Amino acid sequence: MLQPRSTSASLITLAGRSYFPIAFIARLPFAMMVVGVLTLVVAARDSVALGGVNSASVGIGSALFGPLVGAAADKYGQRAVLVPVGLANAVLLGALPFVVQSAAPDLAVLAMSFLIGASAPQVAPMSRTRLVAIIRNRMDPKRHERVLSGTMAYESAADETVFIVGPFLVGVLASAIAPWVAVAGASVLTFVFVTAFALHPTGRLTIAPASDPRPAPARELLRPRLVVVVVGILGIGFFFGSTLTSLTAFMADHGGSSRAGLLYGLMGIGSAGLALGSAAFPRAFRLGWRWLVFGAVLLGSAIVFATADSVLAVGIVLAVMGIGIGPTLVTQYSLGSDRSPVGRSATTMTVLGSAVIVGQSIASAVVGEVAERAGTPAAMAFPAISAAVVVLAAVANLVLSRRVSVR
């Protein structure tokens, strides 16, 4: 553990110039998994419903084991956990195309998808934990609030970018070469960059508690003000999964499901920009109100998405959706960081990251089934339902925050 040491050096200098590109690329395979599995299974086994169920299996594996990976990192250190987990995940991703394209039963494919999710390296939450440790251990306390706000903005923008770029890459590789190439590419990226991230010098960092070195009890993770953030970010995951799956069904009706990832990438234009720009919002525009305002933008655009009937209209709406996603994610991760129990930072961030992927996966399964049974128009209503979850959680967060202020 590094001892606290105040310094005027920038976060980039303290982390090392190689850190940010490595950490960015290392989180890309995680964003490619759900979409890659969905695209591969739909193409190889000709079933949107089966593809959705496999995507859900990835999410279930991540939801069950992701927090355990985070807890293990809190206890044993990130290096000791990330290296074996990353290598196992790379092997499973590399083997999946062979299993899917073989005569193996659907149950075997589902088992592989579950194991891929269970072994998913939790790079994004680990990165947040490392950067928070640098800020709190190595910087002057007077700089903490401003630097932490900018860091959460960057990390959320990076997450949002990879969750857009990941499906975009899957779409490009699936359209230009073959669906299996996207999953194989994720395997290579995991092997190289997750390993590099695990072995980076920042992997030794932990947040030094001010006094008692013992972590807070695990029950502290169930505090209502933290749970409501998890529910809100789960809604974002629902939104990602329902939007991508309904968009895949929509594009299948209009000439090619493999191009859905390309159109999906339009959300990243406003999302990444607004996420990065959120660090410049005035302090008077409090986090809770940011969540509600941009969640409302998300809900309004999702309602319009449900009524769109052309590729051009869908593309325009997706671009507007991005304006609501980025700042909402920044706010949720910032609140999660603020409310993380002592000594449970990696666990908290992993829970938030797992909530995104499990929401995405469950929505993919449900909406895939709806699209196959009830048609594309019914499936396109689900992003609005997901956005409503985000808005309701934002309202609940404001109510809980007000009660704490009153006390």
Side-chain angles (χ1 to χ4, degrees):
M1 178 185 299
L2 296 181
Q3 297 301 316
R5 178 169 64 86
S6 297
T7 179
S8 60
S10 69
L11 184 60
I12 293 176
T13 300
L14 292 172
R17 296 189 180 278
S18 66
Y19 175 79
F20 287 94
I22 290 174
F24 181 85
I25 300 174
R27 72 183 76 194
L28 192 56
F30 191 77
M32 296 173 67
M33 287 177 191
V34 172
V35 184
V37 169
L38 174 66
T39 304
L40 175 62
V41 173
V42 170
R45 305 223 167 184
D46 195 27
S47 173
V48 175
L50 182 61
V53 171
N54 274 273
S55 293
S57 295
V58 175
I60 292 170
S62 178
L64 292 177
F65 287 89
L68 297 179
V69 171
D74 278 330
K75 184 173 183 179
Y76 301 110
Q78 292 191 14
R79 282 185 171 182
V81 174
L82 276 176
V83 171
V85 167
L87 293 177
N89 189 251
V91 171
L92 290 166
L93 282 169
L96 182 65
F98 297 99
V99 176
V100 173
Q101 296 176 357
S102 71
D106 292 343
L107 187 61
V109 179
L110 285 170
M112 285 287 292
S113 297
F114 176 83
L115 292 174
I116 286 172
S119 62
Q122 306 292 326
V123 173
M126 301 290 185
S127 177
R128 284 181 173 83
T129 301
R130 293 186 191 187
L131 296 178
V132 170
I134 292 173
I135 293 168
R136 295 184 179 175
N137 293 349
R138 289 297 193 93
M139 287 188 170
D140 191 309
K142 296 178 181 178
R143 302 176 60 200
H144 285 183
E145 183 177 354
R146 181 177 59 83
V147 178
L148 189 60
S149 176
T151 300
M152 288 300 110
Y154 164 76
E155 285 289 305
S156 296
D159 276 348
E160 179 56 27
T161 301
V162 298
F163 270 104
I164 298 298
V165 171
F168 180 80
L169 281 178
V170 171
V172 169
L173 294 173
S175 300
I177 308 176
W180 67 266
V181 176
V183 177
S187 172
V188 173
L189 289 174
T190 299
F191 181 79
V192 176
F193 287 95
V194 172
T195 302
F197 176 79
L199 298 178
H200 192 273
T202 56
R204 296 192 297 266
L205 292 172
T206 58
I207 299 176
S211 54
D212 192 347
R214 293 174 298 178
R219 64 176 178 273
E220 291 292 314
L221 295 168
L222 299 178
R223 290 180 299 178
R225 294 182 72 230
L226 184 55
V227 170
V228 76
V229 177
V230 175
V231 173
I233 209 165
L234 180 66
I236 292 291
F238 288 152
F239 184 84
F240 283 146
S242 59
T243 301
L244 180 59
T245 307
S246 60
L247 180 62
T248 301
F250 178 86
M251 290 304 294
D253 294 344
H254 288 75
S257 61
S258 62
R259 294 197 297 271
L262 301 176
L263 199 61
Y264 187 73
L266 291 173
M267 280 202 301
I269 298 173
S271 180
L274 265 293
L276 287 171
S278 63
F281 288 153
R283 293 185 62 183
F285 189 14
R286 307 299 296 177
L287 290 175
W289 288 105
R290 294 181 199 178
W291 181 355
L292 181 60
V293 168
F294 288 101
V297 172
L298 197 63
L299 178 57
S301 57
I303 291 172
V304 177
F305 175 80
T307 64
D309 58 0
S310 70
V311 175
L312 177 61
V314 166
I316 293 172
V317 173
L318 288 171
V320 175
M321 282 179 176
I323 296 173
I325 293 174
T328 303
L329 270 177
V330 170
T331 298
Q332 291 168 335
Y333 275 115
S334 296
L335 290 171
S337 175
D338 290 344
R339 299 170 184 179
S340 174
V342 173
R344 299 285 183 179
S345 179
T347 306
T348 300
M349 292 302 175
T350 304
V351 168
L352 294 177
S354 296
V356 175
I357 200 74
V358 73
Q360 184 183 32
S361 303
I362 291 174
S364 296
V366 172
V367 176
E369 189 70 25
V370 170
E372 200 157 284
R373 293 178 178 273
T376 299
M380 291 178 72
F382 276 80
I385 297 172
S386 304
V389 173
V390 176
V391 172
L392 289 173
V395 173
N397 175 70
L398 287 172
V399 171
L400 289 171
S401 298
R402 177 147 182 93
R403 288 179 179 175
V404 170
S405 298
V406 170
R407 289 174 186 170

